[in-house]
Amino acid sequence: MAGRYGRPRSVLRMRTVAGQVFLLQVAIVVLLVAAAIAALVLQSGSDSEREARNRSLAVAQTFASSPGLEAALKSPDPTAALQPRAEAARRGSGVDFVVVMNTDGIRYTHPIPNRIGKKFVGTFQPAVRGVVVTEQVTGTIGPLVQAVVPVFGHGGNVVGLVSAGITISKVSGVVNEQFPLLFGSAAGVLLLTTGGTALVTRRLRRQTHGLGPAEMTRMYEHHDAVLHAVREGVIIVRGDGRLVLANDEARRLLDLPPDVEGRQVADLGLDPATAGLLESGRTVTDEVHPVGERLLAVNQRSTDQDGGPPGSVTTLRDTTELQAVTGRADVARGRLKLLYDAGTEIGTTLDVVRTCEELAGFGAARFSDLATVDLAVSVLGGEEPTVTGAGIEMRRTAVGGEPPDGSLYPVGEPIRFAPHTALGARLPAGEPFLDSDLAEFAGWQHHDPERARQIVAHGIHSLIAVPLRARGVILGVVLFWRSRTPEPFDEEDLSLAEELVARAAVSIDNARRYTREHAMAVTLQRSLLPRALPDQNAVMAAFRYRPAQAGLGGLGGVGGDWFDIIPLPGARVALVVGDVVGHGLHAAATMGRLRTAVHNFANLDVPPDELLWHLDELVTRIDQDEGTEGTGDGPEASVTGATCLYAIYDPASGVCTMARAGHVQPLLLRPDGSAAFVDVPGGPPLGLGGMPFDTCRLELPEGSSLVLYTDGLVEGRHRDIDEGMALLRRTLAGHPDRTPEETCEAVLGALLPDRPADDIALLVARTRVLGAAQIADWDVPADPSAVAQVRAAAVRKLIEWGLADEAFTTELILSELVTNAIRYAAGPIRVRLIRDRSLICEVADRSSTSPHLRQAATTDEGGRGLFLIAQLAERWGTRYTGDGKVIWTEQALSDGESAPDGP
């Protein structure tokens, strides 16, 4: 049989059914033996570990319960008493060690004497509390199990510990006794298998009447191939060209008659190409043959390989429907890929114009040759269009591709689609528009006939217009044009364009809403910050404000940092810098409330520590009010976390008084160029409540610069606050000649990061000192006759200052104030005139009683003095000092009369 088809057969390839059964049985026996060995090994390991735990625990408990153990532990030399007993117990029980230790884990016994007195290695703390501990560890003698048991005294307390341990290898060995029996059983099974295989082989030969196993195997292989290829046509052709087998699918694909087996392939009526391929027997792979209206993919292989019969096996697969489905799948896959890429490339920023540019560029590069985006003018400003559809005023926002000169409207051009145009008629309903042949001028040209002719002349032949629609509102329109691509737009392209624009519309609407909200927030914040510095002569100042992330897209953030310069009576000035933790509208609104409160408290002319105390009370009250308004839908709003630095500078004395609430320390740059941080006592942040604030009083030489700032200037993601403050000091030291503006620029240039993570407020104030020629003061005795002397001295000083026109008004004011001080106050009285931007009159006394303005009745003999002062002076008020009060008035001066600005 081996040479039946003219070829010798290798003995190794002659696989009979009986031989295959034998090999399967051998494999099963081997797997069973391996599984048994594994089970024995696992069982042996588990039994060994359990036996080791039981033995070590039994030995430890037995020894711990032995008589006299407590006495030995309490003896002067426990080792001498216990070491012989422990070693005898170890040898008698077969464990590897018996260790007795105290409650601190110090060994009294050990098989190796030099380890006595050292700490036990293992877990013994639970045993000190009376709990038995068993654990498996790996020691110097290998894997072992050790037990630690407590030794209880007569009082029930633990007086010592006993540990016993044994290596696992001493209690193993069960599996070794099972191996001979296991291998003997396996050998017996293999002998029975061999004999059974011989009997099966002889029986098969008798029942097949001499048909060899090779022929049976080949026959079953053929049928197996048919059974596993029922979805394809299968044809088997012998070497002489006769058809041996054709399954149902092959008959259907080739339109074969029912009785084809045994006929020559040439007589089947096939087309010459297909018949020639089947007769040739050559090897082909996925060779496409047209058969009628079908396209068949043919695979053919020879059957005479490796000693098989001559002939060939051919499989046929109908690819007609497959190619159509594949084509549609490719189109769908391409559309999904385009929409996916659009989602990643369009809307990368929250900027309306930038998003339109991304949409136009993507559409021109991936979908059409040219693309334009026109947006409603109101949308560009962040608002929703008031009207939708035709007649809406639009502006060309972006152009994608390279349009020919003079064809499409440029960026910035206003556009309005009239109702009589094709697009204007569809726009109100949000319907798209498709014109596959612009050269027919079917209505699209009515918007601008002259430009329409230029568009067609430049080769632009097809148009799709899709309204940009979001939440039912028409934001604009996107126009796709084709010029270089010869195929015009079709309905599928229109559907794809709608999906593309719909996705982009969401991004544009999000950007529009962000633009509106951001503009509102920025407007709010800017309205809350000072826009210019007030007129005053106490300091020459400059400021800078940088919101967080101010460099992203040209849009600044919204935060809670602020600064202020507040003129105070007596030519003094208040310098304020504050910081509300957080960003956004809540931080900006909180900042505005705090800034307004600081102005109000400053008008009361209270010292810095008292002002911060009032501000702290206000923040606490606001925080409590907002906490009670929570709805349960989210976290309660909180304004705690605000900080503030408040300083008052008096140019008459050159004294500056400062206090801070959780704020960073200010920096002082002296006229000699030295720079140091002012050690202002640190108070808690605003809103904690109940904590006092301390003040710091400094005498500043003229020309000193106070640098007030928020922590965003010196602290960042990659720089801690100490490093930032050191850099600030180095930047300013040695440059006293810089103006405040130059100082601000130098500080920001050295410390401002590219993307600030926190708001930054910076205020630089260079001090001035009023000259002696601008101040006049007198001590007034408590005698009514001294009033005339004060009036006369004041008039002389005003004439000296060139303010004779103010003499009469000043006499009236001084007369009333000094008279009231003599009549109602106590202690020495002092009068001071200051010539600054206004004429300031001050009367100081030791009384803490403040006068009140009232409307006197017609029959009253007094009560009109303060009313008269309020009418004559521009402002008046009272401020309290450490030893009394000062009543002051301000009289407006013309530009020629006021004191000149300082250096």
Side-chain angles (χ1 to χ4, degrees):
M1 295 296 292
R4 181 171 179 176
Y5 300 106
R7 289 188 180 179
R9 175 172 298 174
S10 172
V11 176
L12 295 177
R13 297 180 182 270
M14 293 170 55
R15 299 293 175 87
T16 65
V17 175
Q20 295 177 1
V21 172
F22 175 76
L23 292 178
L24 178 61
Q25 292 174 341
V26 171
I28 292 174
V29 171
V30 171
L31 289 177
L32 290 176
V33 171
I37 293 175
L40 285 175
V41 171
L42 293 176
Q43 182 65 30
S44 175
S46 176
D47 293 342
S48 299
E49 182 182 350
R50 184 168 56 255
E51 175 63 21
R53 287 180 182 272
N54 294 337
R55 187 179 299 183
S56 58
L57 180 60
V59 172
Q61 288 178 335
T62 301
F63 195 91
S65 303
S66 60
L69 184 59
E70 180 181 3
L73 286 171
K74 294 180 178 181
S75 64
D77 189 0
T79 299
L82 295 175
Q83 176 69 4
R85 295 174 58 184
E87 285 302 294
R90 177 183 66 83
R91 289 189 295 269
S93 61
V95 297
D96 288 293
F97 64 86
V98 175
V99 175
V100 183
M101 66 194 92
N102 62 12
T103 56
D104 293 327
I106 304 302
R107 300 188 186 103
Y108 290 147
T109 68
H110 197 275
I112 303 176
N114 61 4
R115 297 189 182 178
I116 296 175
K118 296 182 180 179
K119 196 162 188 177
F120 178 76
V121 179
T123 303
F124 65 92
Q125 290 80 4
V128 177
R129 299 190 297 270
V131 178
V132 176
V133 179
T134 59
E135 60 181 344
Q136 182 176 349
V137 298
T138 301
T140 57
I141 59 177
L144 56 88
V145 175
Q146 60 185 14
V148 181
V149 298
V151 178
F152 295 95
H154 291 294
N157 59 326
V158 178
V159 298
L161 305 174
V162 176
S163 174
I166 185 171
T167 57
I168 296 177
S169 59
K170 278 192 175 183
V171 293
S172 63
V174 176
V175 70
N176 298 330
E177 300 173 359
Q178 301 294 331
F179 282 150
L181 178 60
L182 178 63
F183 289 133
S185 300
V189 172
L190 289 177
L191 289 176
L192 291 176
T193 300
T194 304
T197 302
L199 294 176
V200 170
T201 302
R202 182 178 301 177
R203 181 66 175 173
L204 285 175
R205 285 187 178 275
R206 284 199 305 265
Q207 290 184 349
T208 57
H209 304 286
L211 186 61
E215 287 79 6
M216 292 180 59
T217 302
R218 184 171 293 106
M219 180 180 64
Y220 282 106
E221 287 176 350
H222 289 170
H223 285 284
D224 188 69
V226 174
L227 292 175
H228 288 80
V230 291
R231 297 181 182 178
E232 297 181 348
V234 179
I235 294 177
I236 301 176
V237 179
R238 293 194 314 195
D240 57 0
R242 291 185 181 275
L243 191 142
V244 177
L245 182 144
N247 68 348
D248 294 339
E249 183 69 10
R251 296 170 189 270
R252 185 185 70 85
L253 295 177
L254 297 178
D255 295 327
L256 297 177
D259 53 344
V260 293
E261 283 81 0
R263 296 174 57 180
Q264 291 287 334
V265 173
D267 300 334
L268 299 178
L270 301 176
D271 63 276
T274 305
L277 175 62
L278 296 176
E279 290 180 328
S280 66
R282 62 186 176 88
T283 301
V284 296
T285 301
D286 290 335
E287 187 174 298
V288 178
H289 283 259
V291 178
E293 297 180 355
R294 297 186 178 94
L295 289 176
L296 302 182
V298 181
N299 288 275
Q300 187 168 270
R301 295 292 185 272
S302 174
T303 60
D304 61 354
Q305 299 179 3
D306 300 330
S312 61
V313 176
T314 306
T315 60
L316 310 173
R317 186 173 67 254
D318 189 357
T319 63
T320 307
E321 298 178 358
L322 181 61
Q323 287 191 348
V325 172
T326 303
R328 290 194 297 270
D330 290 341
V331 172
R333 185 164 47 251
R335 293 181 61 174
L336 290 175
K337 179 68 165 56
L338 185 141
L339 294 175
Y340 173 79
D341 293 343
T344 59
E345 298 181 23
I346 299 175
T348 58
T349 65
L350 287 174
D351 183 78
V352 174
V353 175
R354 178 59 183 164
T355 303
C356 292
E357 292 173 349
E358 292 172 347
L359 171 59
F362 182 86
R366 300 286 297 275
F367 178 65
S368 63
D369 301 320
L370 304 170
T372 60
V373 181
D374 306 325
L375 286 186
V377 175
S378 56
V379 174
L380 290 171
E383 302 296 330
E384 290 188 0
T386 55
V387 295
T388 60
I392 184 173
E393 183 182 357
M394 298 187 184
R395 191 174 300 278
R396 180 137 295 175
T397 308
V399 175
E402 298 180 0
D405 294 337
S407 58
L408 304 181
Y409 288 110
V411 173
E413 188 75 12
I415 296 175
R416 189 185 297 271
F417 296 98
H420 65 277
T421 62
L423 183 57
R426 292 176 174 265
L427 188 59
E431 298 176 356
F433 172 74
L434 167 65
D435 194 332
S436 3
D437 190 358
L438 299 179
E440 292 183 357
F441 296 103
W444 69 276
Q445 76 281 2
H446 294 316
H447 174 69
D448 191 340
E450 179 61 31
R451 189 173 294 273
R453 286 191 291 271
Q454 294 179 8
I455 289 174
V456 174
H458 285 101
I460 302 176
H461 59 80
S462 186
L463 165 67
I464 287 180
V466 182
L468 272 166
R469 185 173 183 176
R471 296 180 295 105
V473 178
I474 305 299
L475 307 178
V477 62
V478 183
L479 304 178
F480 298 102
W481 314 78
R482 274 189 179 171
S483 57
R484 296 186 303 273
T485 303
E487 295 82 7
F489 289 120
D490 54 21
E491 292 295 334
E492 291 191 358
D493 292 327
L494 178 61
S495 175
L496 178 59
E498 288 185 274
E499 294 183 21
L500 176 61
V501 173
R503 296 190 178 208
V506 175
S507 298
I508 293 176
D509 188 57
N510 289 339
R512 176 195 64 78
R513 297 173 67 182
Y514 171 79
T515 301
R516 181 187 62 188
E517 299 297 331
H518 184 269
M520 292 173 57
V522 170
T523 301
L524 171 63
Q525 184 189 34
R526 290 178 179 174
S527 67
L528 297 175
L529 288 172
R531 301 186 179 183
L533 296 179
D535 294 332
Q536 46 81 34
N537 283 338
V539 295
M540 182 172 62
F543 65 89
R544 294 292 186 274
Y545 180 81
R546 295 291 183 271
Q549 303 293 324
L552 297 180
L555 300 176
V558 178
D561 291 15
W562 90 94
F563 62 92
D564 254 319
I565 295 182
I566 306 173
L568 299 178
R572 297 169 303 138
V573 68
L575 307 175
V576 189
V577 171
D579 181 5
V580 176
V581 177
H583 306 286
L585 283 176
H586 185 266
T590 302
M591 175 268 290
R593 299 167 77 176
L594 296 184
R595 180 171 178 253
T596 302
V598 170
H599 274 266
N600 293 333
F601 293 141
N603 287 335
L604 299 177
D605 208 355
V606 297
D609 56 339
E610 186 176 343
L611 182 142
L612 291 181
W613 183 83
H614 286 298
L615 198 63
D616 179 69
E617 288 290 312
L618 173 65
V619 171
T620 302
R621 189 161 55 253
I622 293 174
D623 198 12
Q624 291 174 350
D625 294 340
E626 292 190 352
T628 60
E629 295 176 0
T631 62
D633 296 334
E636 298 178 353
S638 175
V639 296
T640 52
T643 65
C644 183
L645 172 67
Y646 186 81
I648 297 178
Y649 175 67
D650 186 357
S653 62
V655 173
C656 181
T657 306
M658 291 178 279
R660 65 187 179 104
H663 205 79
V664 289
Q665 293 178 338
L667 184 139
L668 175 62
L669 178 62
R670 296 185 179 275
D672 59 0
S674 60
F677 291 100
V678 182
D679 189 14
V680 182
L686 300 175
L688 296 184
M691 301 296 291
F693 299 94
D694 295 330
T695 59
C696 172
R697 188 175 184 276
L698 293 175
E699 292 189 8
L700 304 180
E702 185 174 10
S704 301
S705 293
L706 270 176
V707 181
L708 312 182
Y709 54 92
T710 56
D711 57 0
L713 179 68
V714 294
E715 187 177 23
R717 295 189 184 96
H718 307 293
R719 181 176 60 201
D720 59 33
I721 190 169
D722 293 334
E723 180 183 354
M725 295 179 69
L727 178 58
L728 174 64
R729 185 179 58 80
R730 292 194 302 269
T731 302
L732 296 181
H735 299 281
D737 53 338
R738 288 175 177 163
T739 65
E741 287 288 341
E742 293 172 345
T743 301
C744 287
E745 290 299 323
V747 169
L748 293 185
L751 283 88
L752 183 66
D754 294 335
R755 293 184 175 183
D758 195 5
D759 307 317
I760 295 174
L762 174 64
L763 178 63
V764 178
R766 175 175 289 179
T767 61
R768 295 167 174 165
V769 176
L770 296 178
Q774 296 177 252
I775 303 175
D777 56 355
W778 303 274
D779 292 326
V780 181
D783 185 356
S785 63
V787 176
Q789 300 174 6
V790 172
R791 288 202 307 265
V795 169
R796 287 194 299 270
K797 177 57 69 173
L798 293 178
I799 294 174
E800 178 184 340
W801 285 345
L803 303 178
D805 294 340
E806 306 295 331
F808 178 72
T809 302
T810 305
E811 280 189 277
L812 292 177
I813 292 174
L814 287 177
S815 177
E816 176 64 25
L817 294 181
V818 174
T819 300
N820 284 342
I822 293 174
R823 180 177 299 176
Y824 301 110
I829 302 172
R830 188 170 184 84
V831 175
R832 185 169 71 167
L833 293 181
I834 301 175
R835 181 192 179 191
D836 194 47
R837 291 181 179 270
S838 60
L839 179 61
I840 302 171
C841 300
E842 296 181 347
V843 176
D845 56 54
R846 294 293 180 89
S847 172
S848 60
T849 303
S850 175
H852 297 281
L853 179 66
R854 67 184 180 90
Q855 185 73 38
T858 55
T859 58
D860 290 345
E861 295 183 0
R864 297 177 179 83
L866 287 181
F867 182 79
L868 178 64
I869 289 175
Q871 299 300 315
L872 296 176
E874 184 179 20
R875 292 197 310 161
W876 76 279
T878 304
R879 73 173 184 270
Y880 294 94
T881 62
D883 54 359
K885 69 176 184 297
V886 175
I887 302 178
W888 55 270
T889 64
E890 290 185 3
Q891 298 165 246
L893 299 178
S894 63
D895 293 339
E897 295 176 334
S898 61
D901 293 343

